[in-house]
Amino acid sequence: MSAELSRTRPIRCEPASGRLAVLDQRRLPHETVFLELRTPAEVIAAVQTLAVRGAPLIGVTGAWGMWLAAREAASGPSGRRALEEAAAGIGAARPTAVNLRTAVERVLRATLAAERREERVRLAAAEAEAIESEEIEACRRIGRHGLPLIERLSAARGGAPVNVLTHCNAGRLACVEYGTATAPLYAAHEAGLAIHVWVDETRPLNQGARLTAWELAQAGIAHTLIADNAAGHLMQHGRVDLVIVGTDRTTAAGDAANKIGTYLKALAAADNGVPFYVALPASSFDWSLADGLAGIPIEERDPEEVRWVEGWDGRGPARVRICPAETRAANFAFDVTPARLITGLITDRGLCRPDPADIRRLFPEAAGGAAFPSC
Ligand code: MRU
């Protein structure tokens, strides 16, 4: 990762100076602005408004939010209660990504061993730092394990660009470094393989158009932005060799929740024989669930996000309504792709089929739905 890319790492925490800052992703790609977060309430607001977003990143941000909570909380039992309340509040800021709740609970558990405020602050920072490093390493490994998929396709195409389609942003902006779905793309690009990425715009908030396109442009990876509904057409005409998406929560049986529209891409991929992979770190598995359709909570967001589109009009940010003033909207933020439509999972421990036995082969300690401490 180049120095330029690291400079825009989407989260920066300096426990020594007491500062936590996040890249405000609502303003990308037009402006690069960092937002300082000083309180757990500000962390919750940043997560809910998607200033910070993406499953691993909201987990890391939530963990640092618990460090802010530990700084605010008194010593003794009242401080402990304050920490428990902060964990409940931050953990519920967004419901679909399992990473958020798991990370927050992990920091809470770490701090409960101490009675004194200073010790809790120290333990919270150490745990948040560990979670952040683990996520970075997990993404690096996803890149390593996903690379051979692209190498094989590249060889089959005689070195012609491999066309990879991705949805939403499962890149480093969603994950601190490398990304999940993008990690194999960065690895392939670094290995000198020719690749080209079809970037779904990802309505309503356009994370593909605004964030994935920005990331790929920064990395010098060839890409083309497409309307959300174009993927099926491209697949029918042999113009997609591989789909890789991220996930906010994947069950122990391999059902994967991701940004709304992912399921339709999986249907089109299945109909056209295009391999469809979900890339994820251990922290995005929910070991307590098998049936994703029944069990994964799907966030419903403000319908105004569907009725209005935000962009840049050449002078500054602009917002326009795209429907009649009286038209109501509904805003389902995620959908679940059943395991039967997924070719494979690219995890930080390697590739597996999306079925309980093969997932358990890679993550044997998760059997029985036990909480999974780290990757
Ligand atoms: O609503 P968002 O922008 O947080 O949605 C993010 C996604 O759907 C990503 O694909 C997902 O978090 C995977 S993270 C690498």
Side-chain angles (χ1 to χ4, degrees):
M1 184 91 13
S2 75
E4 179 51 41
L5 294 190
S6 308
R7 262 200 292 282
T8 49
R9 191 185 261 205
I11 188 163
R12 295 175 185 170
C13 189
E14 295 159 6
S17 66
R19 295 192 62 206
L20 171 62
V22 292
L23 182 58
D24 188 344
Q25 299 194 27
R26 295 166 300 185
R27 299 173 71 167
L28 287 172
H30 313 296
E31 296 173 298
T32 305
V33 175
F34 279 84
L35 195 64
E36 189 152 349
L37 305 178
R38 297 180 190 82
T39 63
E42 287 182 359
V43 168
I44 291 172
V47 169
Q48 286 177 335
T49 59
L50 271 55
V52 272
R53 41 135 319 268
L57 183 64
I58 60 175
V60 170
T61 309
W64 283 115
M66 287 300 293
W67 165 73
L68 292 175
R71 284 161 53 94
E72 274 184 359
S75 296
S78 69
R80 173 185 294 233
R81 272 195 304 282
L83 280 172
E84 285 166 348
E85 279 165 22
I90 299 171
R94 291 192 77 190
T96 302
V98 69
N99 311 55
L100 177 61
R101 201 194 60 211
T102 314
V104 160
E105 285 173 359
R106 205 174 131 181
V107 178
L108 177 66
R109 272 197 307 278
T111 58
L112 290 184
E115 279 303 312
R116 295 201 50 75
R117 177 181 167 278
E118 294 72 21
E119 182 62 359
R120 284 179 183 154
V121 173
R122 193 187 63 73
L123 290 170
E127 198 66 14
E129 234 152 26
I131 291 170
E132 183 171 327
S133 309
E134 286 165 20
E135 291 296 5
I136 294 170
E137 177 57 15
C139 287
R140 198 184 61 76
R141 289 176 191 220
I142 288 169
R144 207 179 70 207
H145 294 304
L147 175 60
L149 289 174
I150 301 177
E151 282 173 336
R152 277 197 292 276
L153 287 165
S154 176
R157 290 177 57 75
V162 176
N163 292 295
V164 184
L165 183 132
T166 192
H167 191 65
C168 196
N169 173 263
R172 65 187 185 83
L173 287 170
C175 304
V176 190
E177 294 278 12
Y178 307 109
T180 55
T182 54
L185 307 180
Y186 287 131
H189 184 64
E190 275 173 26
L193 299 177
I195 57 166
H196 165 262
V197 185
W198 295 111
V199 178
D200 285 342
E201 59 178 347
T202 318
R203 282 278 291 141
L205 294 180
N206 294 318
Q207 289 94 329
R210 295 187 302 108
L211 307 176
T212 303
W214 182 80
E215 267 195 39
L216 295 175
Q218 292 229 327
I221 296 178
H223 60 283
T224 305
L225 178 64
I226 52 172
D228 274 338
N229 301 327
H233 165 76
L234 290 171
M235 290 185 204
Q236 284 176 322
H237 289 271
R239 298 185 66 185
V240 181
D241 302 305
L242 173 67
V243 180
I244 311 181
V245 297
T247 175
D248 289 73
R249 189 187 297 234
T250 288
T251 69
D255 294 343
N258 192 48
K259 180 53 57 189
I260 192 78
T262 303
Y263 168 55
L264 292 176
K265 306 299 175 288
L267 281 174
D271 192 42
N272 291 283
V274 175
F276 183 99
Y277 280 86
V278 175
L280 75 164
S283 59
S284 294
F285 277 106
D286 184 339
W287 302 111
S288 70
L289 290 180
D291 182 346
L293 269 184
I296 298 179
I298 299 297
E299 178 181 14
E300 284 187 51
R301 296 183 59 81
D302 186 348
E304 293 301 284
E305 290 178 352
V306 175
R307 289 171 18 94
W308 294 77
V309 170
E310 292 185 24
W312 190 263
D313 71 1
R315 291 183 303 274
R319 185 168 181 263
V320 292
R321 178 161 45 74
I322 58 165
C323 61
E326 65 274 24
T327 295
R328 287 209 305 252
N331 191 1
F332 302 96
F334 297 92
D335 59 25
V336 174
T337 299
R340 68 186 153 76
L341 294 176
I342 299 171
T343 311
L345 304 178
I346 310 171
T347 80
D348 48 294
R349 297 215 182 151
L351 264 56
C352 66
R353 290 188 309 278
D355 68 56
D358 213 36
I359 294 172
R360 265 202 313 275
R361 173 179 63 80
L362 292 184
F363 298 94
E365 65 276 55
F372 196 72
S374 68
C375 53

